[in-house]
Amino acid sequence: SQELEQSPQSLIVQEGKNLTINCTSSKTLYGLYWYKQKYGEGLIFLMMLQKGGEEKSHEKITAKLDEKKQQSSLHITASQPSHAGIYLCGARRNAGNMLTFGGGTRLMVKP
Amino acid sequence: GAVVSQHPSWVICKSGTSVKIECRSLDFQATTMFWYRQFPKQSLMLMATSNEGSKATYEQGVEKDKFLINHASLTLSTLTVTSAHPEDSSFYICSASGGSGNEKLFFGSGTQLSVL
């Protein structure tokens, strides 16, 4: 069964619009990672969250981890075509470095 | 920042042949490397965990004799797909962790394997 539920599975937005991607775990996480992938290419590290209630921002992307450390959201403000790609959340269950990934969200930004 | 290099990025081979994929950490020592597999329009699935100097730990359902992993040094892990078949065609990607206090996990650029 999928340990990480990511939603939505796909998203098409108009350039300039804001959007949010969610990642939910049934278990408390040790850490939550967000990556971006162009299909057929490697993963680009976006952000890592470890503390309950933590929030990080980089340029127009903000990621939050809830207090219970079971849910994270990735918010993009004023989306651009360059934001298009597949966004993956990865969960770290313990101090080991293995990640379990969500199903991914395919984002398309229409100019 | 830390970089993980994966090679080759694309390989086409005949059914029955073996293919080796390399994963290198370029500016840090990776005591642990992970190998993932990704089918089209699906997420990454962990195949195995590779620890330097010891045998790899495989996930359930992954054939050890099919996917040979060698982690002979702190900067190199290899995945060999033996006797490849068309169903092995997939996108393979490695990740590495290392460095004191480094919580980030860096990924290679991936290898697209097509078995004819």
Side-chain angles (χ1 to χ4, degrees):
Chain A
S1 62
Q2 183 69 277
E3 294 185 9
L4 276 184
E5 292 291 334
Q6 198 172 329
S7 64
Q9 292 185 358
S10 62
L11 190 57
I12 302 173
V13 300
Q14 195 70 41
E15 182 177 359
K17 295 294 185 183
N18 303 334
L19 64 104
T20 300
I21 299 169
N22 294 300
C23 182
T24 302
S25 171
S26 57
K27 301 176 183 178
T28 300
L29 303 171
Y30 182 87
L32 192 288
Y33 294 71
W34 283 100
Y35 290 90
K36 179 185 175 183
Q37 183 188 29
K38 297 279 188 183
Y39 180 69
E41 299 180 14
L43 276 67
I44 300 169
F45 173 82
L46 295 177
M47 266 168 280
M48 178 195 70
L49 304 166
Q50 272 195 299
K51 299 177 182 177
E54 187 175 11
E55 178 176 325
K56 289 185 177 179
S57 293
H58 177 66
E59 297 181 345
K60 294 185 178 180
I61 301 176
T62 300
K64 301 177 184 179
L65 182 62
D66 74 338
E67 291 289 343
K68 291 184 178 180
K69 296 174 65 175
Q70 287 186 262
Q71 187 167 19
S72 179
S73 61
L74 185 80
H75 185 78
I76 299 178
T77 304
S79 59
Q80 300 172 353
S82 60
H83 286 127
I86 302 169
Y87 288 82
L88 290 160
C89 63
R92 199 168 148 193
R93 300 291 181 194
N94 49 47
N97 288 320
M98 181 188 72
L99 292 185
T100 303
F101 286 90
T105 296
R106 286 148 189 81
L107 172 65
M108 183 183 299
V109 180
K110 295 164 52 177
Chain B
V3 176
V4 174
S5 174
Q6 190 171 339
H7 177 81
S9 57
W10 185 279
V11 59
I12 301 174
C13 69
K14 293 182 179 180
S15 185
T17 60
S18 295
V19 175
K20 180 183 285 188
I21 303 169
E22 293 186 350
C23 183
R24 294 179 184 273
S25 57
L26 297 185
D27 57 0
F28 67 99
Q29 293 184 330
T31 54
T32 306
M33 289 187 175
F34 304 91
W35 288 96
Y36 292 84
R37 184 174 183 177
Q38 185 180 36
F39 290 106
K41 298 186 179 181
Q42 294 186 26
S43 190
L44 281 74
M45 297 299 294
L46 179 67
M47 296 175 65
T49 302
S50 170
N51 295 297
E52 187 268 335
S54 63
K55 291 183 179 180
T57 303
Y58 290 82
E59 295 300 300
Q60 190 174 9
V62 178
E63 298 176 58
K64 300 178 182 180
D65 296 331
K66 178 95 179 140
F67 299 100
L68 300 179
I69 292 174
N70 183 281
H71 194 159
S73 76
L74 286 171
T75 59
L76 173 65
S77 176
T78 61
L79 169 68
T80 301
V81 183
T82 62
S83 186
H85 291 285
E87 57 265 31
D88 297 325
S89 299
S90 185
F91 185 69
Y92 295 87
I93 191 166
C94 68
S95 73
S97 67
S100 177
N102 185 357
E103 297 291 338
K104 293 181 180 179
L105 295 176
F106 296 94
F107 284 79
S109 55
T111 298
Q112 182 65 52
L113 171 64
S114 296
V115 184
L116 304 178

